[in-house]
Amino acid sequence: MRALDSKLPQVGTTIFTLMSQLAEQHRAVNLSQGFPDFRPPLELLELVERALAGRYHQYALMPGSMALRAAIADKLAALYSVRVDAAAEVTVTSGATEAIFDAIQAVVRRDDEVIVFDPCYDSYEPSITLAGGRTVHVPLTGSRFGIDWDRLKSALSARTRLVIVNSPHNPSGALLDSADFERLAELLRSYDCYLLSDEVYEHVVFDGAKHATALAHAELRERCVAVFSFGKTYHATGWKLGYAVAPAALTAELRRVHQYVTFASTSPLQQALAEYMTAHPEHHLKLPEFYQERRDYFARLLAGTKFRPLHAAGTYFQLADYSAISSLPDVEFARWLTIEHGVATIPISVFYREPPDARLVRFCFAKENATLDAAAERLRRL
Ligand SMILES: Cc1ncc(COP(=O)(O)O)c(C=O)c1O
């Protein structure tokens, strides 16, 4: 048989897997991959056990458990004053990753263009490529990683089918506010194009800022799929549960894909989350403070090193400039740091099509203090 022509020839093992493997091999403190090392709330775990002991073992409804979708709709109303129809506009997926894939397959056709902002999350482009689309990379600018509106304007055309935004932004932590969404709405107005708003870190915002959701903008709401992740909100990335919110017609198309990607996501976890969300709406309200304490703790530790942290407005990532330590390119620096000094990070050039000449790595600070302390002790020696 002929060798298989790869549909994704550019794609290898992701840097996240590679750095985690390297960290394990060299017994490094792993601040690379974005997962917390603390547990989900105990009561949530008890609800999972109850669901497993009970009757939640067969397929959930294709769009998600109705109880969970109702809890999601209640949360959107309480937190953002956004009213959604739980039956027709909310779809539970196997992680935000699946929601992103489904949304892209649903709207992007062969040769359509999709605009993404670099540095950008790694799952967008392969999904666009599989849909036959072309990814147009627009770099974010400055140390605050803002949208360059002129560049976005010149990137938009009749071929643009989708624009993908991510706020709070991985890896920079930058936030979009309601003025940004207003500006985006003005620019998209004359194009027949959709918006995918990746809001998985919605609850990880600092210094009193409030997360702005694209769903709260009436005009964007009509063309928007917003995606969220239970993994990020409940310290349970391994559960791979998320959801997509979109107008009914767009949701119907997204579900046509979802139906044949996973059909339905894990039943007992959906049941437990529905009960927990209803009983504990305060859980997500406490997250900004919880993560801000960790951001500040890690910033104090970094102050004793030669790393220069950039402003982090949201997410559980901290970018830091290492030019006072080394002039190595970031991928080599990250390998060297892991192998020789026992701390694993992510080099940020991997989030770009055309990496800038920067000396930046990304630390994940969603870790117990002891883990951060162990990393800092090693970083102070540099
Ligand atoms: C920006 C962004 N979007 C989506 C995801 C995927 O979320 P999930 O784990 O729910 O699939 C992540 C996970 O790291 C992320 O950082």
Side-chain angles (χ1 to χ4, degrees), residues 13 15-30 32 334-335 337-344 378:
T13 311
I15 189 78
F16 308 101
T17 305
L18 288 176
M19 290 311 295
S20 283
Q21 279 170 353
L22 204 62
E24 202 163 307
Q25 215 177 320
H26 295 274
R27 297 170 166 273
V29 182
N30 188 359
S32 63
R335 282 183 62 81
L337 189 62
T338 312
I339 297 169
E340 302 294 335
H341 296 278
V343 180
R378 296 167 183 207

Side-chain angles (χ1 to χ4, degrees), residues 34 94-98 100 121 124 166 170 198 200-201 228-232 237 240-242 317:
S94 295
T97 309
E98 197 225 339
I100 291 165
Y121 185 59
Y124 304 153
N166 168 215
N170 176 9
D198 179 342
V200 299
Y201 299 102
F228 303 88
S229 169
F230 290 111
K232 312 293 179 195
T237 57
K240 289 304 294 183
L241 267 189
F317 302 114

Side-chain angles (χ1 to χ4, degrees), residues 282-355:
E282 80 291 350
H283 169 84
H284 55 259
L285 300 178
K286 289 196 206 143
L287 284 183
E289 193 189 331
F290 174 84
Y291 276 115
Q292 185 168 327
E293 266 173 37
R294 282 188 156 67
R295 178 199 64 171
D296 294 345
Y297 187 79
F298 189 56
R300 283 197 295 279
L301 293 174
L302 278 186
T305 74
K306 289 191 187 141
F307 284 92
R308 193 179 56 79
L310 271 58
H311 178 68
T315 77
Y316 43 54
F317 302 114
Q318 174 70 64
L319 290 185
D321 184 305
Y322 61 85
S323 38
I325 300 167
S326 166
S327 55
L328 283 174
D330 66 355
V331 174
E332 285 172 47
F333 177 78
R335 282 183 62 81
W336 172 80
L337 189 62
T338 312
I339 297 169
E340 302 294 335
H341 296 278
V343 180
T345 59
I346 296 290
I348 84 149
S349 60
V350 301
F351 295 86
Y352 284 89
R353 163 156 301 172
E354 285 170 23

